[in-house]
Structures are given as structure tokens and as C-alpha cells.
Amino acid sequence: MIWNREMECIDRESLRQLQLGRLRETLHRVYDKVPFYRQRFDAAGVRPDDLQTLEDIGKFPFTTKTDLRDQYPFGLFAVPKKELVRLHASSGTTGKPVVGGYTWGDLERWTEQVARIAAMAGVTSDDTAQIAFTYGLFTGGFGLHYGLEKVGCAIVPASGGNTQRQIMLMQDFETSVLVCTPSYALHMAEEARAMGIDPTQLPLRVGLFGSEPWSEGMRREIQNAWGIRAFDNYGLTELGGPGVAGECLHADGLHILEDCFLAEVIDPETGEPVADGCEGELVFTTLTKEGFPVIRYRTKDISCLDRRPCPCGRTLTRMRRVTGRTDDMLIVRGVNVFPSQIESVLMEISGVAPHYLLVVDRQGYLDTLEVQVELAEERFVDNYRELEALTTAIRERLKSVLSVSAKVRLVEPRSLERSPGKAKRVLDRRPKD
């Protein structure tokens, strides 16, 4: 199902003209209404009228999370506070949160965007959608709620946590669509089995998962555990929440809603654009936001762009699913290590569960990396030789992929911490310099 055929199947030249007009309007709006952007543009020696083509966006300065936090709470809003009807914010676990403001028009467009993303994954008005994202300042719960409601779904606003109750509701309400983080979806399946319930026998058929990077291996684990199709969707508070991009039924990249967002991929070191298909840092500019427009926001998410036609018929550029973040990168003995690399290895090895923790420490002057990974229930045995062989296989495969040695520690099933939100994958014990 294509929710908005006019925008999702638009020819590329018409889309470029639409983007250019909206981008010009946005640049003028922030220059006139947001002192931060006026000062930043002036310092860079650029004016909104300097934008003649989409490629000219490269003349304008980036916006970073530090910029957003420095303008806390309302310094980047482009409308008077009385015109805002809702405020959301990031978790703010490492400093001031990023605050997003929404006008009525913003909320209407946000709802429409999420409806489009849900329809891409095959969600219809016949579905019952259970939202296991936390409701509150976090954008995920409310964003998916209203978008799925617009599609016509019956909504179960379960919120996060209380996993056994979640399973009960899925049984009793015949939930067919699950919305949560991918790691929590695996935990829910694990809990269902512990309750004597076969997850594959529930009416669930579609999962809409986001809020944290996840691998193709984890997708297979989720789909096998639940007997469903699992789809990725992308968004962040700085861009208004979910509804930036999502997967269609072909699941070969996430279609970016380019009538609402201008996407770039840059080299995170130089800030220069990279060619389509080459990996780099995602950068987004909002094209339709009234309350909180953002120019060239550096997401720190790692991806690449694919402008080839999709068999689904949509002409929108696709972004590869996010594999990690530039600030998630660990440097261990001079080698760049991403948690997503380790997850991909673990997902290929039989006998371990998709739950792991990376512990980085320092002994003397040398960094150490320990990978704690849970054994699968069926492999939790006392056969020392069998466990030693499994440990060796994981350690050798990790060294081959990472080019750095890691200690592998097998732990009991269900012993690592679970969370209804983003999974904690890294514990860095190294002293701060």
C-alpha cells in the first residue's frame, strides 16, 4: 500500500523542484525568525538567497547536538511559544535535553508522515497495534500512536515495561502489529516462552522497530522468534521524531520522505559530501517544520544513500539501515570497533543468544575488550569442551572481523540486563583522560 502516491512516486525532477522551493522558504524562515541561525549564516558569509540549487546547501553551516543544547530550551524555535501546542525532548542523559516544539500544522504533518511509514510496512486499518515505547517526552510513543491511528489501526497504548502484561494484552487483544525497540522485541519473545506461550502462535504479523541500531542478523532472530515481518523505521527528536524514513515490503533500505527532509551523507572527519553508496554520516535539513526547523543537522548516524528505483514503485531515495553512530565507535588499541560489527558476528554463530555486552577496560597502558554473550537456552550445558570450543570459535571470528583480540565470556541465559528502551551494549571502564 502506498499511502501518498503523489509524493512517494513523484518524478525526481519534480521532487527536486519541490525540495528547492521548500528549502528556500525554510532558510528564509530561520534567518528571519531564529537569531542563532542569522548569526551562524552571517559568520559563514552566506544568505538564504545564495541557495540557487540543492547542491548549494553545502555552503551553509552544520547544526550539531551541542548547538541545540546550548540553545535550551526555546532558542531555536521559529514561532512564538504561544503558537506551540506540544513539546517533546530527548532523554538528556548527557547534559541538557534537546527540546522540540510543534505547531498544530507540525502535528498534522507528523501524523501523516508516520502513517506513510506504517503503510510502507503493510499496516492497514484491519490491524491492532500495540505500542511498547514509553509515552512521555520521548517522541516514539506519541509519534507512532497518532500515525497508526490515522491509518485506522486500533491502538493498544501499552507503553514500556511490564513484559508479562504486554504478552497478556497481545493474547487478549489479538495484537497484530508490535511497536518497540528491536532488543525489547527479543526480550518479549523470550519472556513469552518462559510463560509457556509460543510467540509464533500469537496473531502478531508485523513489527515496527526503531530507536536503536540493529543488524540483519537481529532481524532474522526477531522474525524467527515471532513468525512475523520485522521492519526498520528512522527518526529522532531533532527532526521531529519518527516518520523520517521507513522500509517497504522489499526491506532493501529505508525510503526517506524527501518532500519533508533533505538528506546528505558526509565524511564525518572532513564534512565533505560522499558519493551515493558510500558510507558516511547522515545529515538532515527539515523542509516543512514550522516550530522547530533544523538546518544541516549532523545526526552522527552511519549510513549511505541509494537513489536506484525500488520495485515497490516509490521514487524516494533510500538510506541503508543505520549500522552505528560515530560517537558509538570504540577505539581499542588503535583499532576502530563498532558494536554493530560484533553483533553481526554473534548473530551468525549457533549456540548463543542475541544478548551481549562489550566491556572495555585498561590494564596498565593497554586497552582490553571483553565480549560477554549469553548462551542460548539449549546450549546451556556443563560440557566444558563444548563450551570451550564455542568460546574459541567466537574469539577467532571476532579477531578476523575486528583485527583486534577480544576476550569472550559466555554467561548464563537471561543474565544480562534487559530494557524496554534502548539496549545497553557498552560498558567502558577506562579512566577518563
Side-chain angles (χ1 to χ4, degrees), residues 18-83:
L18 177 67
Q19 288 181 309
L20 184 59
R22 290 181 172 179
L23 181 56
R24 283 171 173 160
E25 291 175 5
T26 299
L27 291 175
H28 277 284
R29 183 182 308 119
V30 300
Y31 190 77
D32 294 339
K33 304 289 187 181
V34 185
F36 166 83
Y37 279 117
R38 176 181 285 270
Q39 294 166 10
R40 186 63 65 88
F41 289 6
D42 287 347
V46 292
R47 300 288 188 276
D49 288 337
D50 292 334
L51 185 94
Q52 298 301 313
T53 68
L54 289 178
E55 288 69 31
D56 288 339
I57 190 64
K59 298 176 180 178
F60 291 81
F62 294 112
T63 306
T64 67
K65 179 164 285 190
T66 299
D67 294 329
L68 304 188
R69 286 175 170 161
D70 287 347
Q71 298 298 315
Y72 175 89
F74 306 140
L76 287 172
F77 290 174
V79 298
K81 187 166 179 275
K82 67 179 181 180
E83 295 184 24

Side-chain angles (χ1 to χ4, degrees), residues 3 20 74 87 99 128 147 152 206 237 270 278 287 303 358 374 394:
W3 182 262
L20 184 59
F74 306 140
L87 298 171
V99 180
T128 297
V206 171
T237 300
T270 67
C278 294
L287 299 178
S303 184
L358 313 181
E374 288 187 10
I394 297 172

Side-chain angles (χ1 to χ4, degrees), residues 364-380:
Y365 297 103
L366 294 178
D367 293 335
T368 62
L369 172 63
E370 178 181 271
V371 179
Q372 299 179 7
V373 57
E374 288 187 10
L375 282 164
E377 294 276 1
E378 65 273 12
R379 290 295 294 272
F380 186 51

Side-chain angles (χ1 to χ4, degrees), residues 132-133 138 161 163 167 178-193 207-215 217-223 225-226 228 230-232 321 343 347 353-357 374 414 416-426:
F133 276 143
F138 170 61
T163 307
I167 303 301
L178 175 62
V179 178
C180 62
T181 62
S183 56
Y184 190 55
L186 283 173
H187 174 53
M188 291 177 72
E190 184 180 61
E191 190 67 31
R193 290 190 293 268
L208 297 177
F209 304 121
S211 192
E212 64 185 13
W214 52 306
S215 64
M218 183 172 282
R219 189 207 297 266
R220 290 191 295 270
E221 289 277 348
I222 293 171
Q223 292 185 152
W226 287 101
I228 63 172
F231 296 94
D232 198 4
R321 65 192 308 159
E343 179 178 298
M347 293 301 100
H355 302 288
Y356 63 93
L357 178 67
E374 288 187 10
R414 301 166 65 85
L416 294 179
E417 182 182 356
R418 305 292 198 267
S419 170
K422 295 181 181 181
K424 182 177 181 180
R425 300 299 196 194
V426 178

Side-chain angles (χ1 to χ4, degrees), residues 4 62 108 145 212 239 298 319:
N4 186 335
F62 294 112
E108 290 173 358
H145 180 119
E212 64 185 13
L239 302 178
R298 295 190 60 162
M319 54 176 270

